[in-house]
Amino acid sequence: MKQTYNHVQFLQVLLAVLLLLSLTGCWSSHEIEELSLGIGVAFDKGKESTIEKELNEQGEGYSKKDLITSAYQLITPQVASSTTKQAGPQQKSYVNVSETGDSVLQMIREVSLRSEQPITAHHMKVIVIGEDLARSLNLEQLLDQNLRDNDYRPSCIVLISKGRASKTLETKTAGEIPAFRLVGIVDNEYKSTRILPPMSLIKIESKIQSGSSFLLQNVVSANGEVKFTGAAIIKGKTNKMTGFLNEEELDGVTWITGKGKGGLVKSFDKDTGQLIVYEIESMKSSIKPRVKGNNISFDVNIESEGRLPETWVVSGDTFKNEFLKKAEKSSEKEVKRLVRNSLEKMQKEYRVDVAGFGNRLRIENPKVWKKVKKDWDKTFSETPINYDVKLTIKDYGTSGGLKKK
């Protein structure tokens, strides 16, 4: 009995030892001190750097075309620790490294010739593409490596920059990390109708595969500051940028799609010319295709509920239905103006559908869509669109009016 017990104990110990030998851990892992974590990248039209120019003059550079300049924003353990220990007005929490070439992957590999810490892209948050490059290069080609390589997460957000994209990855504020700042602004879409829903790599791939035209959020930069202002139009046939919508035109597109999560409408009272502000609490829109023979048209029905947070109409009593109806009509008129201007821009100037009209036709009338999808943007530019707007003020705050007695 005792021998059997000892035998069982021996087998248990042996099994434990064998299990320990099998726990090799992450055999392909790297120490965090050896990594440079890429958190953002900017793509611009090629501009040779000082070190590359010197190498080329000496005949020591590698064979390439100066097609693209990429700027990688990195966080390294050394940068993080030095920022903590030596915080000061000029201290940066990041480093930017630039390369110029004609292959995105090769540019990443070139960084390993200049630094002992190669780029790791698993934590890449944002890709910013400069206007000049977006106009001249097909986005399917530019983003091919990012879409193929599993180093980049499909949730990585893509933006367009008016001017050099690399400038959006700079800041003068100590401790601020520009890539995180851009992602943080995207998260503010519940505050404004002028911020598009995040356009990730995976969403862009689906747009490219479908041949649809679409919008990318535009960001401008100056003196280390940035602002989201309007959107870039990417034409489905070419996958290149064809123009911009300004802030108000993007406002109009948001109302058409009904995808806004918050924001406001600023209008002026018809009688007094004074300010009225309507704040959006909810928004929805329905796009209904109408097909009669070979004729296609659309009806857009926009509805919203909101509140009256600010009015400069001193002769109005905001507790009275009469004034609230007046404020609703004033705000509705402004929304209609925004929608009209956006449609004018899409249909007459750029001749592209970036608001999802074609998608609604595809869903509700697939047979008709099959006939027109090949040249939908042209068909869309000649299609009548009717729209109706209904805003309802549900809340008018605690101030009951400034009417003088």
Side-chain angles (χ1 to χ4, degrees):
M1 185 78 174
K2 189 175 182 181
Q3 285 182 344
T4 305
Y5 177 74
N6 290 338
H7 183 64
V8 171
Q9 271 192 322
F10 174 76
L11 288 175
Q12 288 176 333
V13 172
L14 181 62
L15 180 61
V17 171
L18 290 173
L19 286 172
L20 285 172
L21 290 174
S22 69
L23 297 175
T24 57
C26 299
W27 62 270
S28 62
S29 67
H30 296 279
E31 296 296 330
I32 192 168
E33 291 83 1
E34 299 173 0
L35 301 177
S36 286
L37 303 179
I39 55 170
V41 59
F43 292 126
D44 283 304
K45 206 164 185 180
K47 188 177 181 182
E48 199 175 42
S49 68
T50 304
I51 190 169
E52 289 167 336
K53 186 176 181 181
E54 185 174 336
L55 287 170
N56 288 334
E57 287 175 353
Q58 295 174 5
E60 297 179 5
Y62 68 94
S63 177
K64 63 181 174 66
K65 297 176 183 177
D66 294 330
L67 185 64
I68 305 165
T69 293
S70 55
Y72 300 94
Q73 186 152 104
L74 312 174
I75 295 179
T76 65
Q78 289 85 348
V79 170
S81 61
S82 64
T83 301
T84 304
K85 294 175 183 177
Q86 304 173 13
Q90 301 303 319
Q91 187 65 46
K92 288 185 177 181
S93 304
Y94 62 93
V95 291
N96 288 346
V97 180
S98 295
E99 281 290 337
T100 297
D102 51 12
S103 162
V104 173
L105 181 59
Q106 190 173 35
M107 286 187 286
I108 294 173
R109 295 292 186 262
E110 285 297 305
V111 174
S112 64
L113 301 178
R114 298 168 52 184
S115 170
E116 72 278 14
Q117 295 170 324
I119 297 173
T120 301
H122 303 307
H123 299 280
M124 199 67 74
K125 302 295 184 186
V126 63
I127 298 172
V128 188
I129 304 170
E131 171 188 357
D132 291 342
L133 187 64
R135 286 186 186 275
S136 62
L137 194 63
N138 185 318
L139 289 190
E140 186 175 13
Q141 295 173 318
L142 177 63
L143 298 175
D144 181 77
Q145 190 272 334
N146 307 120
L147 291 167
R148 288 177 185 274
D149 194 340
N150 61 10
D151 273 4
Y152 280 77
R153 294 182 180 180
S155 58
C156 183
I157 294 168
V158 181
L159 306 172
I160 292 285
S161 168
K162 248 187 177 178
R164 299 289 290 182
S166 58
K167 297 293 184 183
T168 66
L169 295 183
E170 296 176 0
T171 182
K172 291 184 177 180
T173 305
E176 184 175 57
I177 299 176
F180 292 163
R181 173 179 63 181
L182 291 173
V183 175
I185 297 175
V186 172
D187 291 339
N188 289 338
E189 61 173 319
Y190 71 100
K191 289 290 186 181
S192 175
T193 49
R194 298 177 180 181
I195 299 178
L196 285 169
M199 184 62 80
S200 62
L201 278 172
I202 194 67
K203 288 182 180 179
I204 287 181
E205 184 175 29
S206 68
K207 292 288 186 182
I208 289 172
Q209 294 303 320
S210 70
S212 303
S213 298
F214 60 96
L215 296 176
L216 285 176
Q217 185 75 54
N218 176 51
V219 56
V220 297
S221 58
N223 298 319
E225 297 183 3
V226 296
K227 183 186 177 184
F228 281 17
T229 172
I233 299 171
I234 309 299
K235 194 171 180 65
K237 275 197 168 183
T238 63
N239 289 320
K240 295 180 181 179
M241 195 190 86
T242 188
F244 286 102
L245 297 180
N246 64 29
E247 291 185 59
E248 285 195 348
E249 289 157 355
L250 178 55
D251 249 339
V253 171
T254 301
W255 280 104
I256 292 169
T257 62
K259 292 182 178 179
K261 293 184 177 180
L264 58 86
V265 179
K266 184 178 71 174
S267 64
F268 296 90
D269 180 59
K270 182 177 67 173
D271 298 323
T272 64
Q274 294 299 319
L275 180 74
I276 294 175
V277 177
Y278 171 87
E279 185 175 21
I280 302 161
E281 291 187 341
S282 68
M283 173 195 295
K284 63 180 179 179
S285 172
S286 63
I287 298 175
K288 184 72 178 176
R290 305 288 184 190
V291 180
K292 291 184 179 178
N294 293 324
N295 298 320
I296 301 171
S297 63
F298 290 93
D299 293 335
V300 182
N301 185 49
I302 298 168
E303 295 181 11
S304 172
E305 291 186 352
R307 56 191 295 267
L308 188 68
E310 182 181 10
T311 174
W312 288 20
V313 183
V314 296
S315 59
D317 186 341
T318 57
F319 284 168
K320 289 186 176 180
N321 285 336
E322 182 183 350
F323 179 80
L324 295 177
K325 293 297 181 186
K326 192 178 182 182
E328 288 171 352
K329 294 299 179 186
S330 176
S331 301
E332 287 170 359
K333 184 178 178 182
E334 174 62 10
V335 172
K336 288 177 182 178
R337 183 187 72 84
L338 294 170
V339 169
R340 181 174 62 251
N341 288 350
S342 296
L343 289 172
E344 184 82 13
K345 198 83 168 187
M346 285 189 283
Q347 291 189 292
K348 305 307 177 188
E349 183 171 343
Y350 292 119
R351 300 170 71 85
V352 292
D353 172 19
V354 292
F357 288 93
N359 190 48
R360 291 310 309 171
L361 181 64
R362 178 187 64 82
I363 292 170
E364 298 194 25
N365 301 83
K367 290 183 179 179
V368 175
W369 172 249
K370 192 174 181 180
K371 294 178 183 178
V372 299
K373 69 176 183 178
K374 187 176 180 180
D375 202 10
W376 170 244
D377 279 340
K378 182 178 183 300
T379 303
F380 167 74
S381 66
E382 300 166 353
T383 300
I385 299 175
N386 305 304
Y387 49 91
D388 184 63
V389 178
K390 174 64 177 175
L391 307 186
T392 304
I393 296 174
K394 292 289 189 181
D395 179 13
Y396 39 79
T398 57
S399 177
L402 303 174
K403 185 175 180 180
K404 297 178 181 178
K405 295 182 179 179

